[in-house]
């Protein structure tokens, strides 16, 4: 049994950080990988202590944190900032940072420079880029520059306008070709998003690197969700592929209402809250 498996049985805490080779080992041994997103220090600290394998600082922060309708407005500087907050809190999980729109599409040199900034300034352990065969040379250049890369195929949110919105992707041959090209280029893992479960399972079986699914069924080697969805922080928006584990949004609203009532009724602060 590996060190990570021993640690999991002991309650999730690990004696050492998760590394890129640990993802490969998980695939080889059939151990499911677990990831969530985080965008700030408090959330990252809580998630890291719960025993995740990886934390993604996603450009989904454009919607989750900034309130945009998609992730395209997110800048490299913002990604570096949020990655720095997360990496400062994390001691065990692998920190993966999304490369935002136009940080790598403008050429290999730009991609290496900007990915290097996410690692050097942001503290990321790896970066994630969207796209398939067309970005295999970019992945190869990043890996040659000693920057681990997680690929991302299927629904790629930065292609929001070209795809006509957030749509399920069903082209098996294209998806398989994309996955194989990214693996050959040196990606250490692959996110598969919003793909029918049968297609994702087929691709997973074809690859030697692990797949991390989101809306791609149980046949992937691991799973990732946006943490705010898992916690019920957006009660009006619940994609079918999300399991809400607690309604934290309602708990927060209830606590704030009680606080408002206590202040207005003169119950808070009480004598026990006053300084002498």
């Amino acid at each position: 049994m590996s060190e990570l498996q021993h640690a999991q049985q002991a309650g999730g805490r690990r004696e050492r950080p998760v590394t890129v080779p640990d993802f490969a080992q998980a695939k080889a041994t059939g151990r499911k990988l677990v990831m969530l997103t985080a965008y700030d220090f408090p959330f990252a600290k809580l998630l890291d202590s719960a025993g995740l394998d990886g934390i993604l600082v996603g450009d989904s922060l454009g919607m989750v944190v900034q309130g945009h309708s998609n992730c395209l407005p997110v800048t490299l500087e913002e990604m570096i900032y949020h990655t720095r907050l997360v990496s400062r809190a994390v001691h065990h999980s692998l920190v993966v940072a999304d490369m935002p729109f136009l940080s790598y599409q403008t050429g290999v040199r730009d991609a290496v420079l900007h990915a290097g900034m996410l690692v050097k300034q942001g503290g990321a352990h790896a970066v994630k880029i969207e796209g398939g065969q067309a970005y295999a040379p970019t992945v190869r250049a990043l890996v040659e520059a000693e920057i681990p890369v997680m690929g991302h195929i299927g629904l790629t949110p930065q292609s929001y306008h070209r795809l006509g919105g957030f749509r399920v992707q069903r082209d098996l041959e294209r998806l398989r070709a994309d996955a194989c090209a990214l693996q050959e280029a040196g990606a250490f893992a692959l996110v598969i998003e919003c793909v029918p479960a049968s297609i994702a399972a087929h691709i997973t079986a074809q690859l030697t690197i692990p797949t991390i699914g989101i809306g791609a069924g149980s046949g992937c080697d691991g799973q990732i969700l946006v943490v705010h969805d898992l916690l019920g922080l957006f009660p009006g928006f619940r994609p079918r592929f999300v399991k809400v584990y607690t309604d934290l949004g309602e708990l927060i609203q209830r606590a704030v209402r009680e606080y408002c009532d206590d202040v207005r009724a003169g119950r808070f602060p009480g004598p026990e809250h006053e300084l002498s």
Side-chain angles (χ1 to χ4, degrees):
M1 187 178 293
S2 71
E3 289 182 50
L4 290 180
Q5 288 170 320
H6 278 300
Q8 281 192 327
Q9 289 188 359
R13 294 288 293 184
R14 304 181 182 88
E15 296 302 320
R16 63 173 179 81
V18 178
T19 64
V20 166
D22 289 326
F23 273 59
Q25 183 190 44
K27 171 86 171 184
T29 59
R31 182 178 66 83
K32 293 286 189 177
L33 292 159
V34 188
M35 297 185 66
L36 285 171
T37 63
Y39 313 101
D40 59 29
F41 183 92
F43 260 104
K45 192 172 182 65
L46 289 169
L47 300 185
D48 186 49
S49 67
L52 291 175
D53 297 294
I55 292 177
L56 173 67
V57 188
D59 61 359
S60 49
L61 69 88
M63 295 171 283
V64 176
V65 177
Q66 298 175 339
H68 296 296
S69 61
N70 58 62
C71 64
L72 299 180
V74 178
T75 67
L76 177 65
E77 290 74 19
E78 291 167 341
M79 286 303 307
I80 292 170
Y81 170 76
H82 285 276
T83 303
R84 187 182 300 125
L85 300 183
V86 169
S87 62
R88 194 176 293 153
V90 170
H91 299 287
H92 300 284
S93 307
L94 189 78
V95 177
V96 182
D98 260 337
M99 296 195 68
F101 184 58
L102 290 186
S103 67
Y104 61 94
Q105 291 93 338
T106 53
V108 169
R109 185 181 183 280
D110 285 349
V112 173
L113 176 63
H114 296 152
M117 292 169 68
L118 283 165
V119 173
K120 190 168 184 176
Q121 299 177 26
H125 305 136
V127 300
K128 180 172 74 64
I129 70 170
E130 298 180 7
Q133 300 167 73
Y135 291 100
T138 302
V139 172
R140 185 172 291 109
L142 291 170
V143 173
E144 288 175 354
E146 307 297 346
I147 301 172
V149 180
M150 179 177 285
H152 184 155
I153 64 169
L155 170 60
T156 48
Q158 291 178 20
S159 304
Y160 175 82
H161 292 304
R162 178 177 62 80
L163 296 175
F166 299 115
R167 300 177 181 274
V168 177
Q169 302 300 299
R170 297 184 171 87
D171 188 337
L172 170 60
E173 293 306 317
R174 179 180 60 80
L175 291 167
R176 180 166 54 193
D178 285 342
C180 291
L182 294 173
Q183 174 176 270
E184 185 179 349
F188 74 91
L190 187 65
V191 170
I192 302 180
E193 180 171 0
C194 288
V195 167
S198 59
I199 292 178
H202 174 81
I203 292 171
T204 298
Q206 299 285 308
L207 300 178
T208 59
I209 61 173
T211 60
I212 312 296
I214 177 167
S218 61
C220 294
D221 297 307
Q223 297 293 324
I224 185 169
L225 285 175
V226 171
V227 69
H228 292 67
D229 292 340
L230 176 150
L231 296 175
L233 286 170
F234 290 107
F237 175 73
R238 291 185 177 176
R240 178 181 173 182
F241 58 80
V242 171
K243 179 177 179 179
V244 180
Y245 283 80
T246 187
D247 195 347
L248 197 56
E250 173 57 32
L251 292 176
I252 291 171
Q253 288 178 323
R254 185 188 310 160
V256 173
R257 285 194 294 266
E258 290 180 8
Y259 167 69
C260 290
D261 290 343
D262 280 356
V263 171
R264 288 165 182 157
R267 292 188 295 267
F268 177 82
E272 68 274 25
H273 306 118
E274 295 177 355
L275 304 178
S276 58

